[in-house]
Amino acid sequence: MSSEVLEPDLRDTARALVNRGRLRAEAEPELYRAAVKGQAALAGLFRSELGWTLEVLEVAQLVRLHKRRADVPGDRGPSVARDGSRKALLSQEALVLVCLVCEQLWRRPRMSVRELMQALAQVCAQEAAAGGLPRVQWVAGEATSKQDARWHRQNLVDALRVLEAEGSVEADSDLERVVVDEDADLVVTASRDRLAARFSSLSPALLNLDALPAEEHAAALSTASLLDPVVPEPDGVASVEERRLRALRRLVDDPGLDPFDEEAPGMAYLHTLAGRERGLVLLASLGLAVTVRRDWWEVTDPSGLGSEMDFPNGRRMERQAALALLAYLAERDQAGSVVRVGDVVELLEGVRAVVPRWAAGHAKLAVLARAAIGELVAAQLLVPVAGEVERWRATPGVHLWRVRVAYAARGEGQVPRGDAGGVERAEGDA
C-alpha cells in the first residue's frame, strides 16, 4: 500500500490537474503557486499511484500533468463550443491545423491571420498531392464553394481557440470574425515558452507509429519510455502493476466504472481487498467522493475542480429531461435495459401531459431526448450498445440516484411557474 497521501491544501490543485492536465499562472494563480510549492508531493502521488509525470515549467509559468492511458476514451479530446451549444470534438482537419499553427508560430511568434493562412496553405499544398496533409482553401473560388471555404476557416478558428484556451496563443480580436468574413484580419501572438513546452513530448516519429496498426497507437503513445513494452507479454496476460495502473487511471478519470467490464481488462483488481482499499485511499487523497457497489463505482467531485460535468445541477431543459429519464431508469428493474430515442420521446410526452407548457421552446422532442441521453452518457449512466446505432444501455450506476421532481404550487386555472412554465426544481442525489 502506498504511503503517498496529499495534504488538504494540495487536493484542489491535484483535481484541477487531473481534469485539465495543466495549470497556468495567469489563469489560476493560487492553484499554480500551490502546485509549484508542493510539486514534490504531487509528483510523488501521480508517479506512484497512476504512473503519470508532473512537469513544472516556471519559465513558461506552466504546470503540466502527462497522463497516459492505453484505453483512451474515444469521446474525449480537444473540443470547442460553438454558439453556446455543447462542446464538440475537433475535426481531423482541425487537429492537423493545431500542429501546423504551432509550427508556424514557433518560427514567427507574431503573425496576422492572413499571413498564417498563406503559410498554412503553402505547407498543405506541398503535401496534399501525396496525401500527407489536407488541402485547405480559405476563400471561395472556381474549385471551392463558399460553404467549403467557410468550413476550412471554421477548422482554423477551432484550432486557434484550443491553443488560446490553453494559453499558448492570444488573438487581438474575436476569432469568430474569421469564419463569417473571409476578408477579416487580426493578429495572433504566441508564447514561445509555452510552445516549447508543447514540443517537449516525444515525437511520434520516434515511436515508429507508421509501422504499427492504428489500434496499437494508443498503447505506444502511453508508454512511459521507449524502452517499455508497447504490448503485454506474449501470453497476453498483463502484469499486476499494469492491471493496477489501468484500474486506478480509469477510477480517477471516469465518473462511473464497471468493475466487471470485459472490454477493459484489469478491472478485477478493484474486487480484491488491496485494490479496493488502494482505490478508496487514492480518491480520498485527491478529495473526490465515491459511492461503491459490488457492480459499480460512481466518482464525483463536489467542488467541480476535477470535472467539467455538473450534472444534475442546473435548470436547463436538457438537464430536467435527463432527470426525468434518470427517474425512470432508477426503477429497480431498469438497469441493463436498452434505451432508444423513441422511448425517451414517449417519456417526455408523458411529462408534457402533466405539465403542458414544460419545454415549450422545444418543438421537436426528439432533439430534447437526444440531449437528455447525452447528459446521462456523460455521467456514464448510459453507455452505447456496441454495433448498434442510437441504442444505449443503462448501467448499474442508475441505482445510486434518487430523483425528486417538485412543481410550482398553483391554484385552479393558474399556469405553472418555473422555467418554460412547469418544473420549479428538479434534483438528483447520489
Side-chain angles (χ1 to χ4, degrees):
M1 174 64 62
S2 171
S3 60
E4 299 282 355
V5 178
L6 287 181
E7 296 292 334
D9 293 343
L10 290 176
R11 291 176 182 174
D12 289 351
T13 301
R15 292 198 303 278
L17 283 168
V18 168
N19 179 28
R20 298 186 286 278
R22 61 173 52 210
L23 291 174
R24 295 182 287 137
E26 72 276 12
E28 297 159 309
E30 294 183 2
L31 295 178
Y32 172 79
R33 286 195 295 268
V36 173
K37 184 178 180 181
Q39 57 183 287
L42 288 170
L45 177 75
F46 288 129
R47 180 178 60 254
S48 65
E49 297 303 292
L50 299 164
W52 292 343
T53 303
L54 184 73
E55 185 179 21
V56 178
L57 304 162
E58 295 191 58
V59 174
Q61 295 188 310
L62 179 70
V63 177
R64 294 198 310 176
L65 178 63
H66 297 273
K67 300 168 67 175
R68 299 184 178 92
R69 278 185 63 176
D71 56 338
V72 181
D75 59 347
R76 300 187 196 172
S79 58
V80 291
R82 300 174 184 170
D83 302 327
S85 60
R86 291 176 61 87
K87 286 188 175 182
L89 292 175
L90 261 65
S91 65
Q92 184 177 12
E93 179 176 303
L95 289 172
V96 172
L97 289 174
V98 169
C99 302
L100 297 179
V101 167
C102 289
E103 180 186 22
Q104 295 300 320
L105 291 177
W106 170 255
R107 297 172 180 175
R108 292 179 55 191
R110 182 179 174 84
M111 298 177 68
S112 70
V113 170
R114 287 185 181 179
E115 292 173 329
L116 184 59
M117 285 180 171
Q118 183 178 5
L120 295 176
Q122 291 175 350
V123 172
C124 289
Q126 294 173 0
E127 299 285 342
L133 291 173
R135 186 180 298 277
V136 293
Q137 185 69 41
W138 315 114
V139 181
E142 294 182 359
T144 306
S145 66
K146 289 185 178 180
Q147 183 178 3
D148 289 341
R150 182 187 176 97
W151 184 78
H152 288 302
R153 295 198 303 273
Q154 181 69 69
N155 285 330
L156 176 60
V157 168
D158 289 346
L160 289 172
R161 280 177 173 165
V162 168
L163 293 171
E164 189 176 45
E166 70 179 28
S168 296
V169 306
E170 182 179 357
D172 66 351
S173 185
D174 184 9
L175 288 168
E176 188 63 26
R177 291 173 47 206
V178 178
V179 179
V180 299
D181 183 5
E182 62 184 27
D183 296 322
D185 199 13
L186 49 96
V187 176
V188 177
T189 305
S191 166
R192 296 200 72 183
D193 291 327
R194 297 271 172 88
L195 291 181
R198 171 179 278 273
F199 300 151
S200 66
S201 300
L202 286 174
S203 170
L206 297 176
L207 298 173
N208 198 23
L209 293 182
D210 290 341
L212 293 174
E215 59 271 15
E216 295 182 13
H217 286 184
L221 291 168
S222 66
T223 54
S225 73
L226 292 176
L227 300 177
D228 291 341
V230 174
V231 294
E233 297 299 325
D235 58 5
V237 178
S239 66
V240 175
E241 180 68 8
E242 288 174 334
R243 294 198 297 271
R244 180 182 72 84
L245 288 178
R246 288 177 185 176
L248 294 184
R249 286 170 178 174
R250 288 194 63 193
L251 200 58
V252 170
D253 259 350
D254 300 345
L257 181 64
D258 181 1
F260 293 105
D261 189 352
E262 296 180 355
E263 297 181 1
M267 295 304 101
Y269 173 78
L270 296 177
H271 286 298
T272 66
L273 291 177
R276 180 186 177 95
E277 183 178 356
R278 192 153 190 170
L280 292 174
V281 170
L282 174 60
L283 294 175
S285 183
L286 293 173
L288 296 170
V290 59
T291 305
V292 182
R293 285 168 44 119
R294 184 176 179 272
D295 57 352
W296 194 259
W297 290 55
E298 186 83 11
V299 181
T300 57
D301 177 17
S303 71
L305 285 172
S307 173
E308 295 181 357
M309 182 186 69
D310 56 358
F311 177 82
N313 298 321
R315 295 171 61 89
R316 294 189 294 110
M317 290 301 151
E318 295 81 2
R319 294 283 168 81
Q320 293 184 6
L323 285 166
L325 176 57
L326 180 57
Y328 166 75
L329 295 175
E331 296 177 7
R332 182 174 299 275
D333 60 346
Q334 295 302 319
S337 60
V338 175
V339 176
R340 304 173 183 83
V341 175
D343 300 331
V344 183
V345 170
E346 184 178 349
L347 175 65
L348 299 182
E349 288 175 345
V351 175
R352 273 192 175 173
V354 178
V355 188
R357 289 187 59 193
W358 178 77
H362 290 268
K364 297 182 178 180
L365 283 181
V367 176
L368 182 60
R370 288 187 175 89
I373 291 171
E375 294 286 349
L376 298 190
V377 169
Q380 292 194 347
L381 300 174
L382 288 176
V383 294
V385 177
E388 300 189 30
V389 179
E390 291 201 332
R391 288 164 63 93
W392 298 265
R393 175 177 55 81
T395 67
V398 298
H399 290 320
L400 301 177
W401 295 83
R402 181 180 67 256
V403 180
R404 178 172 60 89
V405 179
Y407 300 96
R410 59 187 186 276
E412 183 177 356
Q414 288 183 325
V415 176
R417 294 184 293 109
D419 294 345
V423 180
E424 179 186 32
R425 184 174 66 256
E427 299 174 347
D429 301 317

